[in-house]
């Protein structure tokens, strides 16, 4: 039987990450010896765990790429995983530490991703889909899915700048016509995103000034704090207006959201475990200096309005210590495992390979071999291996990613 082994993982220093020791990524990376020290002037955005070619994890004992180890030991993946995905891990698990909002974006379906890659390979260099899930490690903020149409109508009426950008007739039609709301919203959103930058900039400035003059209660209703923060990060960006169309979601630690194909979203602030299909397929809508493909965006976007609470993705208890989050895709699932201090616990057997990261606590694996568990360490577990864990003097918190079959 193949043994469990520790992974050396890589970080991404994107400018939207948290600086220095304020970052959960840097904390876990230092504790797990993925880095030797923390540079307080550096941004620490992502810790990657998997075999993705851009920054593959390494077998710590040998320095071999995980993807290469898997090719030579493909039985480690498990029969079901190999039949579905071949001899590679189809998922990437990450820790994210976000200090500045990521772009508003959408990921196309598998079929459409293949079509985009075929037609525009220079823009869409990946043919895979990119469903993803975020589980909050700290208080976490994001935008996710279109608001209920009643909320969008309210903001369109309360903010006259939208009439100047989109036009009174289209907005008035959306306010009165409840049968074609989805199609009218698509027209409004397309008009907003394709308006001249100067017109958008002027109306953003006008709206910002009006917000300053409002009472505190009215500022809260019109999301003044969020608008001003995004405007500070991305001045004159049309994405600042998108907060009035998309749900603003605030997660507490342990809560999750799942982002399937065609769901508009943006992470704004906080730390999370993220798991995703191996892909880099992104169509952007705003809060970015990068290319915005409005035609493709409005073709793939899901314009169905729904309340913010409907976007929460709930886990299911597998036992008293394990909560599993199973999204409606086969590429990945994530289990959150919390074991009290001084306990002996057998990790649930999986018939597919998995990767675990310790985010809190310490202990040791005593079977199938002896290994130390401590904060920040990452391990590869071959299929059908059962870990016996002795938890130390403080509780242990792990996240385990694996194929959802």
């Amino acid at each position: 039987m193949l043994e469990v082994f520790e992974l050396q993982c890589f970080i991404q220093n994107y400018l939207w990450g948290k600086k220095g020791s304020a970052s959960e990524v840097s904390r876990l990376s230092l504790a797990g010896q993925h880095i030797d020290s923390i540079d307080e002037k550096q941004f620490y955005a992502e810790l990657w765990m998997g075999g993705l070619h851009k920054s593959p994890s390494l077998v710590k004992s040998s320095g071999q790429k995980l993807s290469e180890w898997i090719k030579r030991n493909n039985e480690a993946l498990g029969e079901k995983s190999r039949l579905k995905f071949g001899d590679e891990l189809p998922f990437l698990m990450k820790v994210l530490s976000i200090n500045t909002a990521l772009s508003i974006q959408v990921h196309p379906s598998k079929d459409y991703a293949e079509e985009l890659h075929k037609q525009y390979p220079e823009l869409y260099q990946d043919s895979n889909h990119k469903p993803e899930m975020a589980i909050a490690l700290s208080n976490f903020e994001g935008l996710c899915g279109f608001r209920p149409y009643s909320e969008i109508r309210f903001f369109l009426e309360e903010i006259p700048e939208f009439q100047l950008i989109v036009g009174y007739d289209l907005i008035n039609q959306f306010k009165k016509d409840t049968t074609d709301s989805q199609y009218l919203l698509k027209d409004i959103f397309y008009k907003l995103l394709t308006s001249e930058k100067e017109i958008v900039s002027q109306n953003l400035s006008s709206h910002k000034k009006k917000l300053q003059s409002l009472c505190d209660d009215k500022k809260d209703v019109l999301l003044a704090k969020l608008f001003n923060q995004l405007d500070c990060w991305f001045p004159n960006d049309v994405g600042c207006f998108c907060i009035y169309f998309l749900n603003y979601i605030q997660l507490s630690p342990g809560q999750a959201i799942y982002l399937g194909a065609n769901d508009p979203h943006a992470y704004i602030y906080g730390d999370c475990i993220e798991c995703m299909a191996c892909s880099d397929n992104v169509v952007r809508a705003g809060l970015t200096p990068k290319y915005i493909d409005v035609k493709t965006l409005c073709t793939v976007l899901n314009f169905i309005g729904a309340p913010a609470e409907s976007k929460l993705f709930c886990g299911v208890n597998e036992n008293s210590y394990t909560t599993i989050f199973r999204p409606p895709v086969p590429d990945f699932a994530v289990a959150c495992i919390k074991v009290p201090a001084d306990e002996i616990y057998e990790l649930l057997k999986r018939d597919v390979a998995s990767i675990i990261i310790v985010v809190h606590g310490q202990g040791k694996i005593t079977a199938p071999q002896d290994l130390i568990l401590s904060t920040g360490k990452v391990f590869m577990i071959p299929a059908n291996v059962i870990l016996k864990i002795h938890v130390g003097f403080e509780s242990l918190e792990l996240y385990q990613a694996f194929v959802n079959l």
Side-chain angles (χ1 to χ4, degrees), residues 1 3 12 19-21 61 66 74-75 85 94 122 138 154 163 174 191 198 244 264 266 278 286 292 298 308 344 392:
M1 179 179 289
E3 293 190 333
Q12 306 294 340
K19 260 190 176 183
S21 52
S61 61
L66 177 59
N74 51 24
E75 68 273 23
F85 295 107
K94 304 178 180 179
E122 70 285 355
S138 64
F154 169 79
Q163 296 179 15
F174 178 68
K191 185 68 183 294
E198 185 176 346
Y244 300 114
C278 287
I292 298 177
C298 289
I344 298 175

Side-chain angles (χ1 to χ4, degrees), residues 127-139:
S127 62
N128 198 18
H129 65 166
K130 192 187 176 186
E132 58 190 36
M133 179 168 59
I135 305 171
L137 294 175
S138 64
N139 291 334

Side-chain angles (χ1 to χ4, degrees), residues 112-124 295-296:
Y112 201 65
E114 292 174 352
E115 184 180 333
L116 287 172
H117 176 64
K118 185 177 180 179
Q119 291 185 354
Y120 311 106
E122 70 285 355
L123 294 176
Y124 302 100
K295 182 179 178 182
T296 298

Side-chain angles (χ1 to χ4, degrees), residues 70-71 74 77-90 403 405:
I70 288 173
K71 287 179 181 178
N74 51 24
L77 294 172
E79 184 179 356
K80 289 196 302 185
S81 181
R82 293 182 67 196
L83 286 172
K84 178 68 177 178
F85 295 107
D87 291 340
E88 59 184 24
L89 284 175
V403 171
L405 294 172

Side-chain angles (χ1 to χ4, degrees), residues 86-314:
D87 291 340
E88 59 184 24
L89 284 175
F91 63 84
L92 179 68
M93 183 163 62
K94 304 178 180 179
V95 179
L96 270 59
S97 289
I98 302 159
N99 191 58
T100 304
L102 282 68
S103 61
I104 300 171
Q105 58 189 258
V106 65
H107 307 306
S109 66
K110 175 72 171 173
D111 289 344
Y112 201 65
E114 292 174 352
E115 184 180 333
L116 287 172
H117 176 64
K118 185 177 180 179
Q119 291 185 354
Y120 311 106
E122 70 285 355
L123 294 176
Y124 302 100
Q125 300 175 16
D126 197 311
S127 62
N128 198 18
H129 65 166
K130 192 187 176 186
E132 58 190 36
M133 179 168 59
I135 305 171
L137 294 175
S138 64
N139 291 334
F140 190 85
E141 302 172 40
L143 301 173
C144 182
F146 280 97
R147 294 175 175 274
Y149 299 137
S150 59
E151 293 183 14
I152 297 174
R153 291 188 179 100
F154 169 79
F155 286 125
L156 291 174
E157 187 171 343
E158 288 289 313
I159 301 171
E161 283 76 13
F162 284 128
Q163 296 179 15
L164 298 175
I165 299 173
V166 176
Y168 174 80
D169 291 341
L170 186 56
I171 290 177
N172 195 46
Q173 189 178 359
F174 178 68
K175 286 161 58 178
K176 291 182 177 180
D177 189 340
T178 58
T179 58
D180 292 323
S181 297
Q182 185 175 337
Y183 305 101
L184 291 168
L185 176 57
K186 179 178 179 179
D187 291 340
I188 290 172
F189 204 63
Y190 181 85
K191 185 68 183 294
L192 174 67
L193 294 182
T194 56
S195 294
E196 293 182 12
K197 290 185 178 181
E198 185 176 346
I199 292 175
V200 171
S201 178
Q202 290 172 354
N203 283 282
L204 284 168
S205 296
S206 172
H207 180 57
K208 184 178 179 180
K209 289 179 181 177
K210 289 177 182 176
L211 287 176
Q212 293 172 352
S213 65
L214 298 176
C215 66
D216 289 344
D217 287 346
K218 191 68 172 178
K219 285 180 179 179
D220 290 343
V221 169
L222 294 182
L223 307 174
K225 182 179 179 180
L226 177 60
F227 177 88
N228 288 328
Q229 182 63 78
L230 295 179
D231 178 70
C232 178
W233 289 335
F234 302 96
N236 303 318
D237 192 301
V238 69
C240 298
F241 271 143
C242 290
I243 64 172
Y244 300 114
F245 292 86
L246 305 180
N247 286 302
Y248 175 48
I249 292 179
Q250 296 172 287
L251 303 180
S252 298
Q255 290 185 307
I257 52 174
Y258 168 69
L259 305 161
N262 309 326
D263 288 336
H265 62 277
Y267 299 153
I268 294 175
Y269 184 84
D271 307 282
C272 71
I273 294 288
E274 183 186 55
C275 199
M276 49 176 271
C278 287
S279 173
D280 198 25
N281 244 327
V282 178
V283 186
R284 294 178 176 85
L287 304 182
T288 178
K290 296 181 179 180
Y291 175 67
I292 298 177
D293 184 352
V294 178
K295 182 179 178 182
T296 298
L297 178 80
C298 289
T299 298
V300 303
L301 267 180
N302 173 6
F303 283 96
I304 298 174
E309 54 268 22
S310 71
K311 300 302 178 182
L312 294 178
F313 190 74
C314 296

Side-chain angles (χ1 to χ4, degrees), residues 321 337 339-340 342-348 356 358 362-369 371-373 379 381 386-392 396 398:
Y321 297 149
I337 302 148
V339 188
D342 301 319
E343 286 281 328
I344 298 175
Y345 177 69
E346 280 192 353
L347 210 63
L348 290 172
I356 62 170
V358 182
Q362 52 83 39
K364 60 183 179 180
I365 298 170
T366 58
Q369 76 252 41
L371 290 169
I372 298 298
L373 287 174
F379 296 90
I381 307 174
I386 300 176
L387 297 190
K388 190 171 186 179
I389 297 174
H390 288 239
V391 181
L396 189 69
L398 312 170

